[in-house]
Amino acid sequence: MHDLPQQLANGLILGALYGLVAIGYTMVYGIVQLINFAHGEIVMVGGFGALTAYLALPGGTTLWLALPLMLIAGILVSTLTAVAAERFAYRPLRTAPRLAPLITAIGLSIALQQLVFAFYPDAKKARVFPKIPGDPFELGSVAIQRSDLFLIIAAPLCMIALGWFVTRTRSGRAMQATSQDPDTAKLMGIDTDRIIVMAFAIGAAFAAVAAVAYGLRSGQVDFRMGFLLGLKAFTAAVLGGIGNIYGAMLGGITLGLAEALATGYIQHLPGMHLFGGGAWKDVWAFVLLIVVLLVRPQGLLGERVADRA
């Protein structure tokens, strides 16, 4: 119990990372009913875009000064990749059977991995990502790494900004209308193609923020980093209720807490010493998903954000 506050803090931080990525899945699905399995690679290219910006800066540039430029570069690369994917890979298949865009998304995921692997310098090994130097902050018995500060600040700010955009702006209301009934929205004069591109772009921007947070936490980026992170984020989106942006963040935090607590405590339960530790954290995350879907198949919140606004 002495370690419980630390485990909860670790879970909340990890969950915020999953939630930022999960929003990209849930926004696209909420509007075009497409599970974009290439979204994990959108995160990956954003991480490499941020790293490229950092490496291009003059030597001696402080990380706090470089961080805004890294964010801009990561968001730009991720957004351009996502918009190009929507325009050239998904839009021509919008009226096709659902299996076609799903297979296309998987193929695009593999293609993006291989493009970075083949053409980015030294991408065959993990590239070192800058970390915020200094000792962790101590809050009672909880230690928070300085590299986690970016995620602690960015995740709530992103959610507040997205909530305001969806509920308070003209484009946000058009997004809600397109999510509820795209055909009727088009008859009412809404450019649904523009709204769909906007959904991809917003999800990609959140993915880039998550990529920078991931790089700061782990100290590296890798061309394979998007696969597992994307899989976890998709799990978080389903857990919270895919199609609901608030559910995506709730699912991410729930998943992060489940991983942290399972890593710290499962092995101490009677007869469970073989099933704890970091090697089993992914297993328990999916066990949680199965349990939630058995009890509540629509997820924790269960409806699209358009139905709640």
Side-chain angles (χ1 to χ4, degrees), residues 183-288:
D183 293 331
T184 302
K186 189 177 293 186
L187 291 174
M188 297 298 291
I190 295 173
D191 186 349
T192 55
D193 286 337
R194 182 180 69 87
I195 294 301
I196 291 169
V197 169
M198 190 181 300
F200 273 86
I202 292 173
F206 275 60
V209 174
V212 173
Y214 176 93
L216 291 173
R217 294 192 79 222
S218 64
Q220 64 180 32
V221 290
D222 183 274
F223 76 97
R224 293 162 296 195
M225 64 181 267
F227 174 74
L228 187 57
L229 185 57
L231 189 60
K232 293 285 189 68
F234 173 67
T235 303
V238 174
L239 189 63
I242 192 164
N244 189 311
I245 58 175
Y246 306 113
M249 184 59 73
L250 176 61
I253 290 174
T254 303
L255 191 64
L257 288 171
E259 284 195 19
L261 295 176
T263 301
Y265 294 106
I266 289 291
Q267 61 190 336
H268 300 299
L269 296 177
M272 300 291 287
H273 63 281
L274 296 177
F275 303 103
W280 282 81
K281 62 184 178 69
D282 298 337
V283 174
W284 291 113
F286 288 104
V287 167
L288 173 66

Side-chain angles (χ1 to χ4, degrees), residues 17 20 28 42 45 68 70 75 77-78 100 115 130 143-144 154 166 175 194 210 218-219 230-231 237 272 281 307:
L17 178 64
L20 282 175
V28 171
I42 301 296
V45 298
M70 293 166 65
I75 290 172
V77 172
S78 286
L115 282 172
I144 299 177
V166 169
M175 192 173 289
R194 182 180 69 87
S218 64
L231 189 60
M272 300 291 287
K281 62 184 178 69
D307 299 326

Side-chain angles (χ1 to χ4, degrees), residues 14-232:
L14 183 61
L17 178 64
Y18 291 156
L20 282 175
V21 183
I23 286 171
Y25 280 105
T26 208
M27 288 196 69
V28 171
Y29 182 84
I31 292 179
V32 294
Q33 305 294 294
L34 167 68
I35 298 174
N36 181 17
F37 275 121
H39 190 64
E41 276 55 54
I42 301 296
V43 178
M44 181 266 295
V45 298
F48 276 94
L51 176 63
T52 302
Y54 178 76
L55 295 176
L57 293 173
T61 304
T62 64
L63 184 56
W64 291 113
L65 183 61
L67 197 55
L69 299 176
M70 293 166 65
L71 267 176
I72 292 171
I75 290 172
L76 184 63
V77 172
S78 286
T79 302
L80 288 176
T81 303
V83 169
E86 190 280 330
R87 178 62 184 87
F88 298 109
Y90 298 139
R91 189 181 299 183
L93 299 174
R94 198 174 292 167
T95 58
R98 288 192 181 183
L99 190 60
L102 180 64
I103 294 173
T104 300
I106 296 172
L108 181 61
S109 170
I110 297 171
L112 287 173
Q113 277 193 35
Q114 294 304 310
L115 282 172
V116 173
F117 177 80
F119 295 108
Y120 197 90
D122 295 326
K124 296 176 176 62
K125 57 185 179 182
R127 294 297 307 266
V128 175
F129 202 88
K131 295 189 73 171
I132 300 175
D135 296 329
F137 291 102
E138 302 284 346
L139 299 175
S141 61
V142 176
I144 299 177
Q145 300 296 327
R146 290 179 181 264
S147 294
D148 289 332
L149 288 177
F150 172 78
L151 183 57
I152 292 171
I153 295 170
L157 285 180
C158 286
M159 280 305 303
I160 292 170
L162 182 60
W164 177 84
F165 174 81
V166 169
T167 58
R168 300 295 182 183
T169 67
R170 187 182 183 92
S171 295
R173 289 191 289 271
M175 192 173 289
Q176 294 178 46
T178 304
S179 177
Q180 289 178 334
D181 192 332
D183 293 331
T184 302
K186 189 177 293 186
L187 291 174
M188 297 298 291
I190 295 173
D191 186 349
T192 55
D193 286 337
R194 182 180 69 87
I195 294 301
I196 291 169
V197 169
M198 190 181 300
F200 273 86
I202 292 173
F206 275 60
V209 174
V212 173
Y214 176 93
L216 291 173
R217 294 192 79 222
S218 64
Q220 64 180 32
V221 290
D222 183 274
F223 76 97
R224 293 162 296 195
M225 64 181 267
F227 174 74
L228 187 57
L229 185 57
L231 189 60
K232 293 285 189 68

